[in-house]
Amino acid sequence: MPRSPRRPGDSCDPPGDVVHVPREMRPRRITQRGRNICRMADEPLSNTTWIACLACFLRTQAHQVLFNTCRCRLLFHKLMEKTGVLVLCAFGFWVFSMHLPSKLEVWQDDSINSPLQSLRMYQEKVRHHTGEIQDLRGNINQLIAKLQEMEAMSDEQKMAQKIMKMIQGDYIEKPDFALKSIGATIDFEQTSATYNQDKARSYWNWIRLWNYAQPPDVILEPNVTPGNCWAFAGDRGQVTIRLAQKVCLSNLTLQHIPKTISLSGSLDTAPKDFVIYGMEGSSREEVFLGAFQFQPENIIQMFQLQNQPPRTFGAVKVKISSNWGNPRFTCLYRVRVHGSVTPPREQPHTPAHPERD
């Protein structure tokens, strides 16, 4: 191919006449690589030249890519280092911020909370004692009010209260010689058999273990509660009491539970008609002392003996002939025997003075 005509002033022209061109208009200095490129552009290119140019271009691009890649790696490493430093700083600040308040609180607890706790404990003690003092004041005021009421109470009211206490309570103020605690016992040979009810027994495989029925000596104890009594079958029976010592008999007292606390709501098991005998000696001589009737409406009844011989007896027999309607059994809750150890003295008979003429 024919070469293209060269232009005057071209960088590839050989030096000739010097042309002064302003500095601003002067072309840049062309390096050897640029000259080679210009030559390659002016000369016709062969296939080998094109391949070489392409390889050179690709190598140049590869160098740039590698350079850029290495530069990016450096930037990435620097960024990671700075990021790691920042993360470490942030973690250290977090740890410091988390542990510093706890240490400050511990210091505050040691320096401030101890006097505060002692002050609170003192306040609680003061409040507790204040409440106790108020309770004591209230109790004292109540006592003062009761004392004032008692002082203002008239003699009639006091007497009425005393009468009510006597009616409601045990007003028998006589010595009881049939009390178990002082030595009185039951003569079982002269006493009826105890009524055994199936409900009062406890069995195991048809073997009776124990019996809840009370023995006869329960009538010699002051515990009068529902069920704490001696029961005998039917409406006829007797009990013989050996007294604590020989006594000149004067009275006998029977006691039953009131209807208001009876489980059955009735008093049909209470004794009705009975006879009292005094017994003394080995011959078991019985001396009639009186026949009486018990009224269950009055839970405590004292009977004065109709026959009071001037002698002492060591035992008393109470023979019951009827009850108040229960056909199965009769209950005795308590029997008391009253009298004196020494026989009563007879009053001397003073003869009448004869009339004077």
Side-chain angles (χ1 to χ4, degrees):
M1 291 179 64
R3 295 182 180 179
S4 60
R6 295 183 180 178
R7 297 178 183 177
D10 195 353
S11 60
C12 294
D13 292 338
D17 297 332
V18 178
V19 179
H20 295 281
V21 181
R23 191 170 184 179
E24 293 82 1
M25 300 296 292
R26 291 179 185 178
R28 295 181 179 178
R29 189 175 180 180
I30 300 174
T31 61
Q32 186 65 32
R33 183 181 178 185
R35 291 173 184 171
N36 294 333
I37 292 172
C38 291
R39 288 176 183 175
M40 290 174 64
D42 292 339
E43 296 177 357
L45 301 175
S46 59
N47 293 331
T48 304
T49 305
W50 280 104
I51 292 172
C53 290
L54 181 60
C56 182
F57 176 75
L58 292 176
R59 185 179 62 184
T60 303
Q61 294 296 326
H63 280 296
Q64 291 180 357
V65 170
L66 291 173
F67 176 75
N68 293 331
T69 304
C70 292
R71 191 174 180 182
C72 290
R73 286 181 180 177
L74 291 173
L75 291 173
F76 180 74
H77 283 301
K78 290 182 179 180
L79 182 62
M80 289 298 294
E81 290 177 359
K82 293 181 180 180
T83 305
V85 172
L86 291 174
V87 170
L88 290 175
C89 292
F91 180 74
F93 179 75
W94 177 76
V95 172
F96 181 75
S97 62
M98 290 295 292
H99 289 278
L100 182 61
S102 61
K103 293 182 179 179
L104 290 175
E105 289 177 359
V106 171
W107 179 75
Q108 290 177 357
D109 290 339
D110 295 337
S111 61
I112 298 175
N113 289 343
S114 56
L116 288 176
Q117 289 178 357
S118 60
L119 181 60
R120 289 174 183 172
M121 292 175 62
Y122 179 75
Q123 290 178 351
E124 290 179 359
K125 289 181 180 179
V126 170
R127 290 175 183 174
H128 180 68
H129 291 303
T130 303
E132 291 182 350
I133 291 170
Q134 291 178 356
D135 294 338
L136 290 174
R137 286 180 179 176
N139 295 331
I140 291 172
N141 293 332
Q142 291 179 0
L143 291 174
I144 292 172
K146 289 182 180 179
L147 289 173
Q148 291 176 354
E149 290 178 359
M150 292 177 65
E151 290 177 357
M153 188 181 299
S154 61
D155 294 338
E156 294 180 358
Q157 291 175 343
K158 291 180 180 179
M159 185 61 67
Q161 287 184 356
K162 187 175 181 180
I163 292 172
M164 290 298 297
K165 288 181 180 179
M166 292 177 62
I167 292 173
Q168 294 176 358
D170 189 354
Y171 55 87
I172 303 298
E173 296 180 354
K174 288 180 176 293
D176 181 13
F177 293 94
L179 198 61
K180 183 178 179 180
S181 59
I182 62 174
T185 58
I186 298 294
D187 187 354
F188 291 94
E189 294 180 359
Q190 299 290 328
T191 302
S192 301
T194 302
Y195 175 71
N196 291 323
Q197 189 180 6
D198 292 336
K199 293 182 179 180
R201 301 174 185 175
S202 178
Y203 291 90
W204 179 74
N205 291 336
W206 302 98
I207 300 174
R208 190 175 73 178
L209 297 179
W210 59 78
N211 191 354
Y212 289 103
Q214 299 293 341
D217 57 357
V218 73
I219 66 175
L220 309 180
E221 298 176 354
N223 184 14
V224 180
T225 56
N228 191 35
C229 64
W230 172 63
F232 58 87
D235 58 353
R236 293 177 178 270
Q238 64 183 20
V239 59
T240 302
I241 303 171
R242 293 173 181 169
L243 304 177
Q245 59 184 3
K246 292 183 179 182
V247 181
C248 293
L249 303 177
S250 60
N251 304 88
L252 185 137
T253 301
L254 289 183
Q255 184 175 354
H256 201 80
I257 60 171
K259 186 177 180 180
T260 54
I261 64 173
S262 175
L263 300 180
S264 62
S266 63
L267 300 176
D268 56 353
T269 60
K272 185 178 180 181
D273 298 317
F274 63 96
V275 181
I276 301 174
Y277 297 94
M279 302 178 66
E280 180 58 35
S282 58
S283 61
R284 302 287 182 177
E285 178 187 359
E286 297 182 357
V287 178
F288 176 80
L289 300 178
F292 309 95
Q293 187 179 86
F294 179 76
Q295 301 294 330
E297 291 79 10
N298 300 325
I299 59 175
I300 301 176
Q301 296 180 38
M302 184 173 63
F303 303 93
Q304 186 174 2
L305 300 181
Q306 299 169 358
N307 181 22
Q308 299 183 18
R311 54 178 293 189
T312 60
F313 294 96
V316 172
K317 177 185 285 186
V318 180
K319 191 172 184 179
I320 300 170
S321 57
S322 64
N323 63 15
W324 287 94
N326 194 310
R328 293 182 299 167
F329 59 91
T330 304
C331 291
L332 275 180
Y333 275 87
R334 189 179 180 187
V335 178
R336 309 184 209 183
V337 177
H338 311 292
S340 60
V341 178
T342 58
R345 296 179 181 179
E346 295 182 358
Q347 295 181 356
H349 179 69
T350 56
H353 297 285
E355 293 182 357
R356 295 179 182 180
D357 295 339

